[in-house]
Amino acid sequence: NSFTTVIPRVKYVWDNTKWSFMHPVDGSRFYIKYRTSPGINKESLTFYSATFDGRKYFPLFNGVSMAGRLFGGFNWGPDAQKFRLGGIPWFFSSDLNRNYSLEISARELYFSEYVMPVRGALISNKLGHNVFLANVELRLPFLIYYFPAIKYLGQINGVIFTDFGVAWDNTYPKFWDKCSWESSAIANNDECAGYVSSTGWLMSYGFGPRFIFLGFPWQLDFAWQYNPYRGTISDRKWFLSIGLDF
């Protein structure tokens, strides 16, 4: 089935950050975005979306800095789309699958909003009409100066990070609720009967180097997913991707 839709959007951005190498080290920036699909005909989608992204950077000493990010979003309307929380867009990884859910419709593929990063989790691990994500990083200069022995890498930096977020529909998942941290169907568990397992919380932590190779900014992350309710830690995962830190 084919359909036609128009999605106008408006976005306000404020930015006074100061950059060093591959990431900001001082200042702050944020944006507020609103988009809508007004439903131009019977086959069109009708939905509304509002998102906020705020970031703050704190220089500490000798190139060391802290970075924090808060993201929130809300979708509503007759054809409200899902936020897809989790993962990062990696090139190579220890994970065999890129997405938590391998079945996705064309509408979901093109109109859903992917909320990242939650390193250590699969892409689209949690789904919901509403979403919140927080990221905190300590950024460290591992090797500041250029040495001939590493002429293809140049400067190497690193990060220590933690990511946590939640996606939900009508009912907000409580942080200390056991069922909020389940990541798969749990129909046989009477305690969580009726719970929608695609919603809920995600949390992870880890570290990784940042470097330039062949002109591209590379990120190598080693991450562990953490369940604070059970007190359990997943096996280590690694992800190699191209991009700049938030």
Side-chain angles (χ1 to χ4, degrees):
N1 296 330
S2 63
F3 63 94
T4 302
T5 191
V6 176
I7 307 179
R9 67 189 66 193
V10 60
K11 184 177 182 180
Y12 174 78
V13 180
W14 189 88
D15 189 336
N16 72 344
T17 54
K18 178 181 178 181
W19 282 69
S20 175
F21 192 48
M22 296 170 62
H23 54 253
V25 295
D26 197 3
S28 58
R29 55 179 173 168
F30 72 87
Y31 72 74
I32 299 173
K33 182 174 69 175
Y34 174 78
R35 65 173 186 154
T36 180
S37 177
I40 58 176
N41 56 47
K42 292 182 179 181
E43 300 299 327
S44 297
L45 301 178
T46 302
F47 65 85
Y48 313 91
S49 176
T51 54
F52 168 83
D53 189 318
R55 312 173 186 196
K56 179 65 177 176
Y57 308 96
F58 305 91
L60 299 178
F61 57 89
N62 295 334
V64 178
S65 64
M66 288 285 298
R69 174 182 180 237
L70 295 176
F71 179 92
F74 307 92
N75 284 325
W76 68 98
D79 302 301
Q81 300 298 295
K82 298 277 190 177
F83 290 103
R84 310 181 73 87
L85 175 67
I88 56 173
W90 48 264
F91 273 101
F92 302 100
S93 171
S94 57
D95 275 334
L96 298 178
N97 297 318
R98 187 177 297 270
N99 292 286
Y100 185 76
S101 175
L102 297 180
E103 296 182 2
I104 182 171
S105 68
R107 294 187 180 189
E108 292 176 315
L109 178 64
Y110 290 106
F111 300 118
S112 294
E113 186 165 353
Y114 291 81
V115 181
M116 302 175 181
V118 183
R119 291 153 283 198
L122 291 175
I123 297 173
S124 303
N125 193 292
K126 296 293 184 181
L127 313 176
H129 293 137
N130 311 289
V131 71
F132 169 79
L133 172 64
N135 309 102
V136 179
E137 289 189 357
L138 176 64
R139 296 170 173 173
L140 308 165
F142 284 172
L143 188 57
I144 298 179
Y145 301 104
Y146 181 90
F147 287 93
I150 57 168
K151 63 181 179 178
Y152 296 107
L153 298 180
Q155 181 174 332
I156 301 177
N157 279 17
V159 301
I160 301 172
F161 61 82
T162 183
D163 309 317
F164 58 94
V166 59
W168 73 99
D169 290 326
N170 298 321
T171 303
Y172 181 79
K174 296 180 180 179
F175 186 84
W176 291 115
D177 187 344
K178 172 184 177 180
C179 302
S180 298
W181 294 94
E182 298 293 343
S183 58
S184 60
I186 46 177
N188 295 327
N189 190 330
D190 293 336
E191 297 180 44
C192 300
Y195 174 74
V196 180
S197 61
S198 61
T199 65
W201 285 85
L202 291 173
M203 180 179 291
S204 66
Y205 65 89
F207 67 93
R210 304 288 185 264
F211 54 92
I212 301 293
F213 180 62
L214 300 178
F216 294 99
W218 293 87
Q219 302 178 342
L220 177 59
D221 291 310
F222 299 93
W224 294 260
Q225 193 170 339
Y226 177 59
N227 183 328
Y229 182 88
R230 297 179 181 271
T232 56
I233 301 172
S234 72
D235 294 334
R236 186 192 67 187
K237 298 180 180 181
W238 61 266
F239 307 88
L240 181 64
S241 58
I242 294 178
L244 300 173
D245 289 306
F246 66 82

